[in-house]
Amino acid sequence: MENVKSTKKLDVRRLVFTALLSSLAYVLAEFLSFKVPIMPSFLTFDFSDAPAMLASLTMGPVSGAVVCLIKNLLGCITSKTMCIGELSNFILGVSLVVPAGIIAHGRVKFSRAVIAGAVGAVVMAVMGFFSNFLLIYPLYGLIGWSTEVIIGLYQKILPSVDNLAQCLLIFNVPFTFVKGAFAAVFSIILYKKLRPIFNSMYRE
């Protein structure tokens, strides 16, 4: 009976932390995003993946993925892209936090979290190329953003690019990696501070 009560308490705490981190991720995505001058205008930088990464490191990859899902479901309410942008953000977020959570969750060493963050950022960048090329950018055609229009936005910055794959490799891949790396660094710093709290929670 005592084990059942402890498990229920843990589940409630996990639910509360997941809800709080999801709300924080939504606020960061909705109100604290900004454009980068050397990137096309539709690509914005934010730190909304950091709460999801923190959830993944402390509570496991499923919790991290749930934070990504809730953040983007909330984002769909005010979406200007028929939720296509939110779908892309979800795919990239999960690509970052799930590998990191699998590698780091339950391990005591802080160095494991650093490795997990680096691996997550690489996976996120690679997945970003394929998801954009095969799914997201074709979907943008449904709302009037043809491939030619999108390439034209890249050409305003670098006229020499002439196909979508080239645009993604030159712009999106490094941009996505840096975005994932920043989220990883930020969350790992918080993880170092909060790890004792989560460890004590799991020992109860």
Side-chain angles (χ1 to χ4, degrees):
M1 182 66 69
E2 188 173 327
N3 288 336
V4 172
K5 289 183 179 180
S6 179
T7 300
K8 287 183 178 179
K9 180 188 280 190
L10 181 60
D11 288 341
V12 170
R13 288 185 177 182
R14 188 193 300 270
L15 182 63
V16 170
F17 276 118
T18 300
L20 288 173
L21 290 171
S22 299
S23 300
L24 177 59
Y26 171 71
V27 169
L28 290 173
E30 195 72 13
F31 302 107
L32 292 174
S33 62
F34 54 92
K35 300 183 188 306
V36 179
I38 60 172
M39 302 298 296
S41 59
F42 59 87
L43 293 177
T44 58
F45 196 97
D46 62 69
F47 295 95
S48 65
D49 289 318
M53 174 70 92
L54 182 60
S56 193
L57 293 175
T58 54
M59 296 181 288
V62 173
S63 292
V66 169
V67 170
C68 291
L69 178 61
I70 294 174
K71 174 189 72 172
N72 285 292
L73 287 176
L74 291 173
C76 278
I77 297 173
T78 56
S79 176
K80 298 177 181 178
T81 62
M82 292 179 59
C83 296
I84 298 171
E86 285 70 26
L87 174 60
S88 177
N89 190 276
F90 173 72
I91 293 172
L92 296 180
V94 169
S95 300
L96 172 67
V97 306
V98 169
I102 291 172
I103 294 171
H105 179 57
R107 274 72 171 186
V108 177
K109 290 184 178 180
F110 178 71
S111 59
R112 183 61 70 95
V114 175
I115 295 171
V119 171
V122 171
V123 173
M124 183 184 186
V126 173
M127 181 59 72
F129 174 85
F130 288 105
S131 65
N132 281 323
F133 188 80
L134 298 174
L135 176 63
I136 300 302
Y137 282 17
L139 284 176
Y140 273 125
L142 298 176
I143 57 174
W145 284 31
S146 66
T147 300
E148 291 73 21
V149 169
I150 293 173
I151 292 174
L153 294 174
Y154 286 102
Q155 288 175 331
K156 289 182 179 180
I157 302 169
L158 185 64
S160 61
V161 296
D162 59 6
N163 61 73
L164 184 57
Q166 195 176 40
C167 294
L168 293 172
L169 283 173
I170 294 174
F171 289 94
N172 290 52
V173 169
F175 175 81
T176 304
F177 175 78
V178 170
K179 184 178 179 182
F182 266 92
V185 169
F186 186 65
S187 62
I188 288 170
I189 292 172
L190 290 177
Y191 171 71
K192 188 176 182 179
K193 301 290 185 182
L194 298 175
R195 183 174 53 177
I197 297 174
F198 284 96
N199 285 345
S200 64
M201 180 179 78
Y202 283 106
R203 285 196 296 268
E204 292 181 2

